[in-house]
């Protein structure tokens, strides 16, 4: 029995040593918790479970290179010895934050941003700035073509005299749909006084709030939201590594990565056996900590073998492992060089990475050498568990699917071009939206839903999704329906909207 | 070692004390188990794992108010000292049950009902009677409009001479589809003798059986089925609190609450980290027992903070936390006052809570004061983990979405009204079903699928579902397709079904 | 303390005894691991967790009949005393394998096949050969009707002059879609030299690789792939018993078994409470090891009651518990006698189990006696937890749904036949594909998606999927849309593709 007690004491001491005997909550954070543990008990309880609440930066810095979770080399003395609590994040860089307000003697801001997180995680924030996601707000909202797509989805339509009219969507609607994932623009639009349990207080009122979209434009002008994936206030690496996190934005028919994963062998292994895996170790050991990749394993995480060899470096850029952008807008193509895709112009002057007829706008896209390099980076992950023959077979098949799905998009585009040319619908030549009529919406589904889904199913080997669920069956059917429509329109009402000219 | 043994013994004794040292199975239940453990081993094994099998009502009554799981104040001496087993439920109130039959000397009934459960849980049964769900059978089957919708879905169509005819669906089909969730009417239609391992026996034959729909009409004339959520014979509170239970009926495109939850941040936290949570504690402590709400947390459960303050009272009425009925039939509107919605009549005399053009039928709906009260009740749950600014922003956005999605329903309705008026389809004026033609079915999808889905996605912050999966994209596309159809119909075949009059 | 140590030692000894103190890895396998643990660390780590890596066949043979996991009666002395590792499978039967190649002094083959697995599991392999799945490649690819369906889904379409043309799909596309699940034909098409960490080596190059489809045609001419369900290299029975495994191929709208399961009461219980169940015991004890069936429980596993009575025998034939084939092609019908369905011919000479108008082609299908026998086998599983009244009610309802869903398929077929007859589309009489035009694709969805989904929802009691998600609503709507289309086509463009004759 004595020995049992001894063992328990040892475990405690070791744990204390590992976590830093001096782990201390700052006075400022203590002050926050004093009130907020009763005002918002859930937040405080959640944070207490976090690693942030237990480990000081000083202790974190002692980890060996492969084991470290922070990328800064040195932390200020002020921060080094205290755990990262409310005050540390919400009073960081007050001068940069337009949402800073006086609160019980503190300069507090509402929206913690990548610039705040960069205090300890500068490499991740820097990498993320090269990730398309960090530019997701502008890439959608500032690209006239995509912005018009958004308007034709979110805008209220009215009906009179057998005709419809589109009205521009309001900001709340955009925030509730596309910008929920792409990120809103969060700005201070005023202050509001409110009675609280502690007397009247003033708080900033924000536009586009709440939001945790990946490309959020923050009040300190930074872009992105770390909490998209590292959900506050637990900031659990286990959660970021689980596919549910990615599914928040990547489950719909436009980017069905999660749905494909679920029916893939990898997803099956995760669902069936993943409950035994270790999701919070750094580095993440292939085969030992987990036996099938999640999204993070292939796209983000630092992976090593049991022997300690690095299989893949950690990346928050993510596309440095991706040779293709299979999310075709409107065709799949080599990855763009810049995360800011609003700079792209094709021959027609449209801000699209390909011509309407599919040819890539090469000057804005990575070249074949870079594609090879990225493919090889990804293949190293595959080779942890698969032979070269398997991996080669997979990529050959996948690239064939990029080609054939692009061809099926081209066929749909030719039907639409024909409809425009023959006056059955109004398009570019008429300076009309290319997304507002029924036939145009069918065309959008060809690439945005069906061709994309087919490629995701191929890339991640979840074929069940790529045939009848949302893939090849629908590409094939959609073309026949588009042709049927065109034939009806042309033969039946030649003098209505157009007819042959 | 001695101390180890001592500790184990203590644990055992404490457990025994907690669960009632005198926990005793009644002789009647013993008699049931004697045969049924071999006839239906799964049922008996399942029940043995249940709290019902371990705790007597007398012990349950000793819990403090916030910890109690039964709401009766006193239990009869007969029941107090025995655990709740087969006989306790299946021989309760035999005279009320038309499905009571003689079985080995007992008066047994097949269908255990809310009236039976009310012996120990009267408050929950009473609350549930004010829940729309308890009236789900009648609200569908006795409302002529909705009933006709059901008939046009389930009825067999035949085809001759380029015309289709609808036949009325049979009862089994209705039980296999709509009434599976809404509840069947369970009646005794006779008795049947059957050879068993114990000789020939007679059993009642029931209509609409099996069924565990939320509004089931029971042989004792009560309405509802507690086992819809409290699955027999384990009756696990853990299960009732998990979203999978709600998903049995709330996953389809008409009420996609579960699909929205899955892609919400809340759903992600549950999926990623929920395996560590405590789902069987009463009361349920926010932040400690769980860190993200499930359906039950927001809509049903008794929630307290770690400091013991009540965040939300337990409710089986559920709508006392809901200011809107976002499941629009055909528009979203303030919640109805009565759970029996068959009493509602709009200006056209239709049993609908709004006019066809969207104006609410206010005399049957709660007023703004009541709406405010209910919203505040819900907001208290949100505020456990979110700031006022966050919560206000959320509800502002949500109510905007109610408005805009109703507008998109109105536009679709105007197209349909125009089709009826111009004779392109037959509707109310022709005394024809408003659900049987293709254009009418597209109209139904506008509100039943797309507008509803958009609102659920907004209410629960799962935007990925509300755009491309089943939301705004489809509202927008559907309107264009309806107009296309109308234009074709009017211009092409003016003398067929109508034409301008 | 001493006693604690003693207990630990005992546990270790007992474990060692249970697993065979002499569990030994063969020298050949040791040689494989030496290099491959660094080349493919994931595979080796995965295998080490497997039962195969811990139990020798000799030990496995000592289990009592109900507990045994291998079905061979005697294993060669050579294999009996060593665990089943890399070399045991990948060098088995080298002469049969056309993919055998010289590798570091061994005759290694890439593709391990059912014939290899039959060394220890001959009964399962034999049963599986009677399962439709083992013939899935030929049943799709060698049936001219289904093969044409595949071609019209996967073939690239081109567009010119308001007309589309189908091109034949390439083999990679078929492998990436239909044959992913049905199985590819894996053949050696050559050898390729490659530089490795161990110098240049030659490896076979395979067609149709990678693939783990259920009906894969292997280089040793065997059919099937055990790893479809028993995922390498862990071969976990837990995984095979979980529904995620079946969902890899049975989630799409054609065979939505998994989606139906999820919203069924059974699926809810599994999702909510399954984390506590024992998935790796043999036999599998109803109520004790699990309280709700997964796919495997009803269709495959050996089930016993706690008292040791056999509820269901293990079967890898699976259809010996199925009286109907509800996956209607194009109608649901009694199960085919032979797993090779290419032998079937209906009156029109089409290789379909029913006429186009639904009458079963009885000579190829099991008779009512056999149907009764199979239904009773399945019912025994149900009766573990449900009363006879419940089970009878369920099957009555289910068989009614088979009938009504077939009727709704017939109505759609009559519309198509009318379209063919009147020249609105080209079909059998014109020797044209019956799957290539838009109206034909709508007809396909009637049976392949909507009628099938309705039946699966009924069979497995997951009604939410069978109404609005993918069932009766869509059957009803589709018929109206088909008629609308036909009416348009006939009245509007009588001289285009046809018109009344």
């Amino acid at each position: 029995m004595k020995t049992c007690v001894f063992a328990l004491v040892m475990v405690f001491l070791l744990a204390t040593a590992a976590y830093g005997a001096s782990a201390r909550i700052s006075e400022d954070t203590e002050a926050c918790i004093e009130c907020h543990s009763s005002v918002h008990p859930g937040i405080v309880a959640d944070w207490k479970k976090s690693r942030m609440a237990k480990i000081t930066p000083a202790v974190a810095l002692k980890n060996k290179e492969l084991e470290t979770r922070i990328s800064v080399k040195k932390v200020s003395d002020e921060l080094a010895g205290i755990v990262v609590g409310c005050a540390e994040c919400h009073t960081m860089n007050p001068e940069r934050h337009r949402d800073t307000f006086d609160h019980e003697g503190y300069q507090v801001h509402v929206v913690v941003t990548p610039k705040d997180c960069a205090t300890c995680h500068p490499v991740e924030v820097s990498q993320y700035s090269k990730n398309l996601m960090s530019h997701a707000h502008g890439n959608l909202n500032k690209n006239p073509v995509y912005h018009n797509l958004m308007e034709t989805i979110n805008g209220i339509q009215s009906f009179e005299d057998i005709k419809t009219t589109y009205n521009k969507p309001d900001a709340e609607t955009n925030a509730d749909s596309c910008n929920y994932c792409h990120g809103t623009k969060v700005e201070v639009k005023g202050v509001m006084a409110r009675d609280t349990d502690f007397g009247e207080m003033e708080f900033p009122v924000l536009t586009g709030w709440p939001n945790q979209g990946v490309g959020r434009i923050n009040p300190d002008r930074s872009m992105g939201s770390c909490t998209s994936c590292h959900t506050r206030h637990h900031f659990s690496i286990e959660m970021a590594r689980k596919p549910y996190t990615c599914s928040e934005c990547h489950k719909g028919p436009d980017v069905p990565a999660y749905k494909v994963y679920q029916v893939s062998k990898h997803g099956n292994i995760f669902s069936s056996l993943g409950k035994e895996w270790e999701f919070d170790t750094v580095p993440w050991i292939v085969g030992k900590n987990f036996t099938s990749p999640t999204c993070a394993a292939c796209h983000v995480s630092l992976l090593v073998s049991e022997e300690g060899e690095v299989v893949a470096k950690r990346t928050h850029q993510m596309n440095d492992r991706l040779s293709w952008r299979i999310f075709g807008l409107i065709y799949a193509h080599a990855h763009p060089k810049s995360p800011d895709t609003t700079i792209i112009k094709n021959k027609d002057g449209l801000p699209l990475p390909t011509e309407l007829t599919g040819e890539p706008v090469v000057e804005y896209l990575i070249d074949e050498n870079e594609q090879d390099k990225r493919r090889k980076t990804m293949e190293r992950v595959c080779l942890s568990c698969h032979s070269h023959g398997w991996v080669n077979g997979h990529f050959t098949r996948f690239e064939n699917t990029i080609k054939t799905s692009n061809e099926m998009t081209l066929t749909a585009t030719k039907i639409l071009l024909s409809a425009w040319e023959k006056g059955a619908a109004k398009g570019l030549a008429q300076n009309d939206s290319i997304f507002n009529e029924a036939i145009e919406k069918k065309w959008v589904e060809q690439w945005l839903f069906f061709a994309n889904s087919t490629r995701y199913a191929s890339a991640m080997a979840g074929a069940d999704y790529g045939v009848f669920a949302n893939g090849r069956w629908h590409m094939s059917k959609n073309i026949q329906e588009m042709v049927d429509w065109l034939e009806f329109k042309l033969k039946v009402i030649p003098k209505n909207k157009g007819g042959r000219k």
Side-chain angles (χ1 to χ4, degrees), chain A residues 442 445-446 450 474-482:
Chain A
K442 286 185 87 67
E445 291 191 347
Q446 185 77 1
F450 312 139
H474 300 276
M475 287 203 291
S476 172
K477 184 183 175 216
N478 198 42
I479 283 177
Q480 289 300 315
E481 290 187 345
M482 287 180 74

Side-chain angles (χ1 to χ4, degrees), chain A residues 242-496:
Chain A
K242 285 194 171 165
Y244 312 112
T245 289
C246 310
S247 83
E248 281 189 47
C249 294
H250 294 172
K251 190 174 179 184
D254 50 327
V255 197
Y258 179 71
K259 288 203 162 181
V260 168
Y261 180 72
Q262 282 184 303
V263 294
S264 72
K265 186 58 95 181
H266 290 156
N268 175 12
I269 300 173
F270 165 76
S271 298
S272 296
L273 304 176
K275 68 181 193 308
E276 311 292 348
W277 300 351
E278 291 151 300
F279 281 94
D280 54 1
T281 56
V282 172
W284 214 12
I285 304 174
V286 175
K288 184 175 174 231
N289 298 146
F290 65 99
T291 48
S292 163
T294 63
C295 315
C298 292
H299 296 290
V300 187
S301 299
L302 167 63
L303 305 181
V304 304
S305 72
E306 268 196 84
E307 296 168 356
E309 205 184 344
V310 173
V311 172
K313 292 182 193 166
R314 182 187 295 125
T315 174
H316 282 68
Q317 178 177 339
M318 299 189 195
N319 58 46
D320 53 354
R321 298 180 187 180
L322 297 175
S323 51
W324 296 98
R325 189 167 199 217
I326 62 172
F327 178 58
L329 298 166
I330 66 175
Y331 298 86
H333 53 80
H335 231 280
K337 288 177 188 167
S338 165
D340 176 1
T341 60
T342 61
I343 61 173
I344 299 175
K345 290 276 170 293
N346 71 10
K347 283 185 195 155
D348 290 336
L350 296 172
L352 298 174
T354 65
E355 306 303 327
L356 270 189
T357 42
E359 301 80 2
V361 187
V362 290
E363 60 267 43
Y364 297 99
L365 310 177
I366 60 171
D367 62 20
E368 283 189 21
N369 284 342
E370 178 66 18
Q371 282 194 294
D372 278 351
K373 194 180 133 198
R374 293 185 179 191
R375 188 189 299 104
K376 284 201 171 59
T377 307
M378 180 64 92
E379 283 179 1
R380 280 219 56 195
V381 179
C382 311
L383 289 166
S384 303
C385 299
H386 296 288
S387 72
H388 275 86
W390 181 286
V391 173
N392 290 343
H394 171 74
F395 277 94
T396 300
R397 199 175 284 166
F398 166 52
E399 300 205 340
N400 186 62
T401 292
I402 290 178
K403 182 175 150 287
T404 56
S405 61
N406 274 348
E407 286 170 6
M408 287 295 267
T409 295
L410 177 59
T411 300
T413 304
K414 284 183 177 171
I415 299 172
L416 182 63
L417 291 173
S418 175
W420 285 344
E421 191 204 338
K422 295 178 194 305
K426 284 184 195 158
L428 288 175
Q430 289 79 28
N431 229 345
D432 192 53
S433 165
I434 63 176
F435 303 120
N436 59 350
E437 298 176 62
I439 188 69
E440 291 162 343
K441 290 176 191 289
K442 286 185 87 67
W443 169 69
V444 170
E445 291 191 347
Q446 185 77 1
W447 42 271
L448 190 60
F449 291 4
F450 312 139
N452 279 349
S453 292
T454 302
R455 286 189 290 265
Y456 276 93
S458 180
M460 297 163 60
D464 190 70
Y465 194 78
V467 185
F468 291 120
N470 211 34
R472 287 181 172 88
W473 167 260
H474 300 276
M475 287 203 291
S476 172
K477 184 183 175 216
N478 198 42
I479 283 177
Q480 289 300 315
E481 290 187 345
M482 287 180 74
V483 171
D484 253 22
W485 179 93
L486 181 57
E487 217 179 20
F488 275 19
K489 196 84 176 184
L490 290 179
K491 300 227 167 120
V492 168
I493 36 172
K495 285 159 200 161
N496 177 35

